Amino acid sequence: MEACTPLAPAFGMLGATLALAFANFGAAFGTVKSGVAVAHLGMAHKSRSMRGMVPVVMAGILGIYGLIIAVIIAGNIKMNSADYTLGKGLIHLGAGVAGGMASLAAGYAIGIVGEACTTAYQRTETIFVAMILMLIFAEALGLYGLIIALLMNSKATGLSGGCDTSRWH
């Protein structure tokens, strides 16, 4: 495929779509897995249920990471422009996949850790600090993906060169 193609924006938009979709899959999984455990915690110990909500909140943040990546990528896509080359489109695709998959992995980790630790928190309060530390490290996976996606986006923005769009019509 040549560097100047009208398909370049499609690759960029696919990156934005995948960032949002994968991040929200991760957020949904983390919310469901830990949310069920929080519901059981609330039935057993009402006073602990708000502290037990930490994994659910942290899972929800992953969806925000995907939204940030998708908005930034979509904002940098120039439809029918000579400036938006295949290279930029593929970098945006990679940024979306990197950010989205990192948040998916983080959501999986938060869901599993959140469920196990919230269940343990139902039995003893001493697990709370360890739960927070494990959740922070799991959330960091999504943050790493966000950072890399932002760096990749800045590389795509910095690419120079253009295309002759007159032959696309």
Side-chain angles (χ1 to χ4, degrees):
M1 195 177 291
E2 59 186 90
C4 297
T5 174
L7 292 176
F11 287 112
M13 288 294 184
L14 183 60
T17 301
L18 292 175
L20 188 63
F22 286 146
N24 282 310
F25 286 149
F29 182 83
T31 299
V32 166
K33 289 292 281 182
S34 55
V36 170
V38 171
H40 288 106
L41 174 66
M43 289 187 294
H45 299 282
K46 289 181 174 71
S47 62
R48 296 184 192 175
S49 61
M50 286 309 290
R51 289 180 91 187
M53 287 290 292
V54 173
V56 175
V57 172
M58 292 182 83
I61 293 170
L62 299 172
I64 297 170
Y65 292 167
L67 179 63
I68 291 169
I69 295 166
V71 167
I72 289 173
I73 290 172
N76 286 316
I77 295 172
K78 296 170 182 68
M79 304 298 286
N80 298 323
S81 172
D83 291 335
Y84 199 78
T85 62
L86 181 61
K88 289 181 181 183
L90 291 175
I91 290 173
H92 282 144
L93 174 60
V97 170
M101 292 298 281
S103 288
L104 178 62
Y108 185 78
I110 288 171
I112 300 298
V113 168
E115 180 185 38
C117 288
T118 303
T119 302
Y121 185 56
Q122 184 174 341
R123 295 186 182 106
T124 178
E125 290 187 58
T126 58
I127 194 71
F128 186 74
V129 173
M131 176 178 79
I132 297 298
L133 287 174
M134 287 184 272
L135 289 171
I136 288 170
F137 287 115
E139 181 80 24
L141 300 173
L143 187 59
Y144 300 153
L146 173 66
I147 292 168
I148 291 302
L150 294 175
L151 289 172
M152 291 175 75
N153 179 67
S154 69
K155 292 292 184 186
T157 305
L159 283 180
S160 59
C163 299
D164 176 18
T165 60
S166 63
R167 58 194 170 94
W168 292 356
H169 305 287

